[in-house]
Each structure stands twice: as structure tokens, then as C-alpha cells.
Amino acid sequence: MRHRRLKYAGLAVLLMAGSWTTGSVLPAAAQDSPAPAVTDAGPVSPGLLTAMRRDLGLSERQARERLAAERTATAVEPQARRAAGTSYGGAWFDAEEGRLTVAVTSDASPTTLRAVRSTGAAVRTVEHSARELDTAKARLDRLAAPQGVSSWHVDPEANALVVEVVRDQAADNDVRRFVSRARQAGPVSVETVAAAPRTFAAGTVGGDPYYTGNVRCSIGFSVHGGFVTAGHCGRAGAGVSGWDRSYIGTFQGSSFPDNDYAWVNVGSGWWTVPVVLGWGTVPDQLVRGSAEAPVGSSICRSGSTTHWHCGSVLAKNETVNYSQGAVHQMTKTSVCAEPGDSGGSFLSGDQAQGVTSGGWGNCAGGGQTWFQPVNEILNRYGLTLHTA
């Protein structure tokens, strides 16, 4: 297999592929300025373009143009946020317009509106500020949610707090009670989903690459001294071995639930490289940074079970209600995943985004998957991302 040949060639199989998983865990618009010119997307792997064409239905030209526009939007977002100040209501990438849209409260001054537009972002006026909505979500985070409640997040485009409930449990008394209490916290919209979220766990399977005990998982991203992955894959102190069962290192830190992240040190002849494994489906991808892509951006995932798949960023700072407990500050995507993909790499272009946590559905029928943002993991443990 490709990852085995890479190890023999001297590259650690810490190529950020796949995910660590456990077999037992299932856990009104203002006038806008002209759109900014699309900048070059930089070096783009043919494999990435292939995956985006397959999963997003884009031509090669459309995929390149979208990556370039998303690169610009990622750079514009922090500038627009600062320009909006206390009037900031959130932001998202508008794929049809090909640029960032920034929500600004209706009481914003003309000077503020001009400042936001000067960044190249489109502007939409809204009722609630991002601070108001985040405060409402924080109130909701303090409530115990029944299993029929899937997740909740702030949706900047809807300018509301969205609570998602499992469709066949929407009439459950506990679910209805939770939704009623949520409406008291702030502006709430209720949506239904097909199934409850679970972590993407898998038992040991011959030939799969990484293990801790009888748990198979996938690596997220290389950091100097090790790699990051999902916390539900192992507790601090647990040993980790590679595809050949040779010793790699141990979990140095791990958190789940509340968070879903961990990091493992690397030694015993293994080392790290700034690469996400393509698994023969696409060429291996270089990692050049960790700039956070806005909502609406395209995103791709590498995992040891289902390999490469792409989709879009649907929401940020979402609270996911697993059976083991709630996990906070997650990012939701339309990318599919399956058991064994936990801990694997999420990329937007060549920028690391996060490690696979869980979701619902599969890669035959579709679904949604959440990841823990990589910058939070790096900051929590004082780690430095290994970049090309």
C-alpha cells in the first residue's frame, strides 16, 4: 500500500491521513461595493481539483476560481471583522457571488459601513450582533440536552441560533422542552436532521495503519514533535502503534467530551512531514498553514476508511450532543465520513482546518461531519504545525 511504501522510503506514516476511532464509541441588504478581483489560488494539486469536481460538481476552472476566491475571503474576514467593530454580526463565503459577505447591525454608522466595504466584502444588515448571538448560545451550552437534540450553532446568514433535532424525535417531550428553553435564550430557528451524531469509531481491521490498543484511528496533522488527532481515540498515556504494529509514541494530552482533540508524540524511528496522505485517490497534499476558512468555503477531508471527500463549511462554533456528552466549538461540514475516519485531516486548499470528530450518515448516502479546529488544538497544547 502507498502509505507503507512511504514509510519504507523514510517518510513517517504520520502523513495526516485518516482518523483515530474507537470500536466501542458511537459517541436586508445594503448596497454593496463591486466584488474584489479574484487572486491566484496558488499551487493546486490535481488530486484536490479532482475531488472537488467529484464532490462539489465543479469543472476544473470553477474549482480553481473558487479556491482563489476563498483564499481572498479568508484574508478579508479578519479585516472586515475589525472594521465592523461592535456592529459585527458574522460572516460567510457566498459561493455564488464568489466573495465574503459580512453581517452588520442596522445601527451601524455610515463610516462603519464604508470601512467594511473597503475591505472588499459585501455587506448585509441584520438585527442581532454576533456578540448577542454568541451570548445566547453560551446560555444554551449550560443546558443539558436530550439525545434527540443533535446540535446547536449560531448561523450568521440566518442571524439566529439554530437548534437541530433528530427528525423522528422532534415530538419527544424532552426535546420540545429543550427547544422551549432555547427560545428563551435568544432568537432561535429549529431544523431537523436525519440521524443523531456519533463519533466515527472502528474496531481493528487488518492492514489499517494506526492503533491504540484495539482502536483504529487516523492521524490529523503533523506538529513539531508529533501529531494531532481526535481525543476520543485515546486517553493521555495510551500507547500508539503504526500500521505494522511498531511503536510510535503515546498520547501526551487528550480531551473528550467537552472537546475532542489530542496529540501524540513521535519517536522510535518515526518522524513527521507536512503532508496529508492522498491514499492513492489523489496525490499527497502539502500543508502550508492553518488560516481558518469562512463558512461557505469548500473543504476536503482525508481519512483511513473513506480516503478523500470534499464538501462545504456549514457552521462554526457548534455544540454537538454526542451520547458521551456535548463537545463545543466544533465546525460542521457537508463532507461524508465513516467509522475509522475520526481524527483525520480537514483541509481548505493547502490550509489545515481541523481533525475529524464525528457526524451522521456515510459516503454512500451522504451526511454531515464535524471537526475540531486545529488552531484550538495547537494553542491548547502549545504546539507548532509542521508546514511546507
Side-chain angles (χ1 to χ4, degrees):
M1 293 178 66
R2 179 173 176 79
H3 61 284
R4 296 188 185 182
R5 291 199 299 271
L6 286 171
K7 178 177 185 288
Y8 290 137
L11 295 178
V13 187
L14 309 181
L15 302 184
M16 288 108 257
S19 64
W20 295 90
T21 65
T22 68
S24 60
V25 179
L26 289 176
Q31 182 178 355
D32 297 323
S33 59
V38 175
T39 60
D40 184 75
V44 180
S45 160
L48 177 59
L49 295 174
T50 298
M52 291 180 69
R53 290 171 64 185
R54 179 195 66 202
D55 294 335
L56 297 176
L58 304 176
S59 68
E60 181 174 337
R61 178 180 177 181
Q62 289 172 326
R64 288 183 179 276
E65 290 176 346
R66 178 159 176 169
L67 286 170
E70 289 172 353
R71 192 182 188 97
T72 299
T74 297
V76 165
E77 184 175 26
Q79 302 170 29
R81 181 191 292 263
R82 287 192 296 270
T86 57
S87 300
Y88 180 72
W92 61 93
F93 177 76
D94 188 322
E96 291 188 3
E97 295 294 327
R99 64 171 170 171
L100 189 74
T101 297
V102 176
V104 179
T105 54
S106 56
D107 59 355
S109 69
T111 300
T112 297
L113 294 175
R114 284 195 297 270
V116 175
R117 291 195 183 98
S118 71
T119 67
V123 174
R124 179 183 295 180
T125 55
V126 295
E127 180 179 356
H128 306 287
S129 69
R131 180 175 297 179
E132 287 179 83
L133 295 174
D134 288 342
T135 298
K137 181 180 178 295
R139 295 192 191 103
L140 200 52
D141 283 345
R142 292 192 286 268
L143 302 179
Q147 284 303 297
V149 175
S150 171
S151 62
W152 53 94
H153 67 274
V154 170
D155 183 340
E157 191 169 3
N159 197 228
L161 181 61
V162 175
V163 177
E164 295 190 336
V165 301
V166 179
R167 188 173 297 119
D168 61 6
Q169 298 183 52
D172 179 82
N173 287 337
D174 289 338
V175 171
R176 295 173 65 180
R177 188 176 300 111
F178 181 87
V179 170
S180 177
R181 296 185 66 182
R183 295 189 190 283
Q184 296 173 23
V188 164
S189 173
V190 178
E191 298 179 359
T192 60
V193 295
R198 60 187 176 91
T199 53
F200 286 120
T204 55
V205 178
D208 286 326
Y210 307 110
Y211 303 87
T212 174
N214 69 339
V215 174
R216 172 170 66 88
C217 284
S218 309
I219 289 171
F221 295 95
S222 282
V223 296
H224 290 286
F227 63 84
V228 294
T229 186
H232 70 263
C233 294
R235 297 188 178 188
V240 174
S241 60
W243 65 267
D244 59 355
R245 294 294 185 173
S246 66
Y247 179 76
I248 295 177
T250 61
F251 280 85
Q252 299 296 298
S254 179
S255 177
F256 180 79
D258 188 25
N259 308 290
D260 194 5
Y261 51 60
W263 82 281
V264 176
N265 69 332
V266 169
S268 301
W270 297 73
W271 63 93
T272 63
V273 290
V275 175
V276 170
L277 193 63
W279 296 91
T281 303
V282 299
D284 299 340
Q285 310 290 301
L286 289 175
V287 178
R288 301 184 185 276
S290 59
E292 185 179 337
V295 169
S297 298
S298 63
I299 196 163
C300 297
R301 178 192 56 72
S302 175
S304 62
T305 298
T306 58
H307 304 164
W308 270 88
H309 287 276
C310 299
S312 300
V313 178
L314 300 178
K316 294 184 179 182
N317 190 25
E318 181 152 288
T319 299
V320 182
N321 189 35
Y322 292 131
S323 61
Q324 298 90 342
V327 176
H328 305 93
Q329 296 179 309
M330 301 273 270
T331 297
K332 180 167 64 177
T333 77
S334 63
V335 187
C336 68
E338 295 180 10
D341 285 327
S342 283
S345 324
F346 266 92
L347 283 168
S348 182
D350 57 10
Q351 300 294 302
Q353 298 297 307
V355 300
T356 304
S357 172
W360 60 269
N362 55 52
C363 289
Q368 295 177 340
T369 302
W370 288 270
F371 67 79
Q372 187 87 67
V374 68
N375 288 330
E376 180 183 359
I377 309 172
L378 300 178
N379 292 335
R380 169 63 179 83
Y381 294 118
L383 302 169
T384 302
L385 187 67
H386 193 168
T387 57

